[in-house]
Amino acid sequence: MMNTVEKRPVYLQVRDQLADKIQSGIWLANEKLPAERQLSEQFSITRVTARQALVQLEAEGLIFRSNRRGWFVTPQRINYDPSRDIGFVSYVEEQGFSARTETLSKMLIEVPDWVAEQAGIPEGTPVYEIFRRRYINERPCLIEKIYLNPKNCPGILQHSLDRSLWHLLRTEYKLDPYERHIEIYPQTLEARVADALAVNTGSTGLYIRRLCHDQNGEFLELDEEFWLHNAMKVVVSVTSNG
């Protein structure tokens, strides 16, 4: 009996050739890829097939798209260790990248019911809501939504929140995020978050929720982080006691 070799779909063959250019260093981090029209002409394929190849590479985290700007090679991911008590800027910069934070909005609101339930505080309690965008090497990589208990940090919204919030809480208000409960799971990005990151609504993201209590056991903050799925990887070091 003659063995037959199954032919790979055309879009995967194109994907392989594009991936080889990225992995061999011909295309560098943050470099813009040719437009779909150019790829379709280069490989003698339809634009639909070219897009299939690009979407496959995007799903694998090798490339990303920016609304109205095109497709780009994904830069190296940062390592994120949720067990470390270190701020965003510090853990990004210690890995050789630049980092900055941009506060998009800050206000006093009535606590959302689900946050009240998570935090164990009465419904209707006033909380500060802080909405920030954070950059790695000038690429917007995550949106942060913070619900902060104003009880022991009155007037904090008058400060610049483009720097470390935890440093501000510790130095100005003597509050320490002593106890933290962290959840991490994949999630698609809703419209407000996706727009702020210049990606399409429904794009794949990584969601991190951090519930913090201070050194006195009181609710301090609930922090939601919405990451681009290809911007970071979770890395935890464990030492065996056995």
Side-chain angles (χ1 to χ4, degrees):
M1 181 181 296
M2 182 180 296
N3 292 327
T4 59
V5 178
E6 183 179 353
K7 188 175 181 180
R8 284 166 61 79
V10 173
Y11 82 93
L12 289 180
Q13 296 179 45
V14 174
R15 173 262 171 222
D16 292 345
Q17 294 186 57
L18 298 179
D20 183 65
K21 290 180 180 291
I22 296 170
Q23 293 165 342
S24 65
I26 295 175
W27 288 341
L28 302 176
N30 291 309
E31 184 172 341
K32 188 175 182 179
L33 273 65
E36 293 173 16
R37 177 184 55 79
Q38 294 173 287
L39 291 175
S40 64
E41 293 174 354
Q42 177 182 344
F43 291 100
S44 299
I45 57 177
T46 66
R47 291 185 64 174
V48 171
T49 301
R51 174 169 283 263
Q52 283 181 299
L54 293 168
V55 169
Q56 177 66 33
L57 289 170
E58 180 188 33
E60 297 171 21
L62 291 176
I63 66 174
F64 69 94
R65 54 183 148 180
S66 178
N67 285 349
R68 298 176 294 278
R69 294 180 60 228
W71 298 86
F72 297 83
V73 177
T74 302
Q76 179 183 345
R77 298 171 187 257
I78 67 161
N79 297 331
Y80 173 74
D81 184 348
S83 68
R84 295 186 64 195
D85 186 8
I86 184 172
F88 170 80
V89 172
S90 296
Y91 74 70
V92 170
E93 291 185 345
E94 74 177 15
Q95 295 179 55
F97 302 95
S98 65
R100 72 179 177 94
T101 301
E102 177 185 12
T103 302
L104 302 178
S105 66
K106 52 184 180 178
M107 66 188 74
L108 184 68
I109 66 167
E110 184 177 295
V111 63
D113 290 347
W114 74 270
V115 175
E117 181 179 355
Q118 291 281 322
I121 59 177
E123 295 182 6
T125 300
V127 294
Y128 293 133
E129 181 191 66
I130 303 165
F131 196 65
R132 304 195 296 184
R133 177 165 49 209
R134 315 199 85 164
Y135 296 78
I136 300 174
N137 286 358
E138 290 305 312
R139 178 192 177 199
C141 287
L142 75 135
I143 294 297
E144 186 177 36
K145 187 186 295 184
I146 301 169
Y147 300 97
L148 181 64
N149 187 354
K151 178 180 177 183
N152 296 317
C153 55
I156 197 171
L157 298 190
Q158 298 174 19
H159 293 266
S160 169
L161 301 180
D162 291 347
R163 56 193 179 106
S164 172
L165 180 60
W166 283 12
H167 178 77
L168 182 61
L169 289 169
R170 284 172 171 142
T171 57
E172 296 294 328
Y173 297 96
K174 311 306 178 187
L175 292 171
D176 186 39
Y178 179 75
E179 179 185 348
R180 292 170 290 155
H181 174 75
I182 301 171
E183 298 180 11
I184 304 175
Y185 51 85
Q187 185 184 78
T188 56
L189 302 177
E190 64 179 12
R192 183 186 182 194
V193 170
D195 288 347
L197 292 174
V199 297
N200 293 329
T201 300
S203 296
T204 303
L206 189 66
Y207 175 76
I208 300 177
R209 180 189 297 170
R210 186 182 297 106
L211 176 63
C212 297
H213 291 80
D214 64 22
Q215 66 271 30
N216 300 312
E218 291 191 83
F219 165 64
L220 180 57
E221 68 161 3
L222 189 148
D223 176 19
E224 294 185 287
E225 294 182 359
F226 304 87
W227 284 79
L228 295 177
H229 79 287
N230 55 18
M232 60 92 102
K233 57 183 176 181
V234 178
V235 178
V236 180
S237 297
V238 179
T239 301
S240 174
N241 295 321

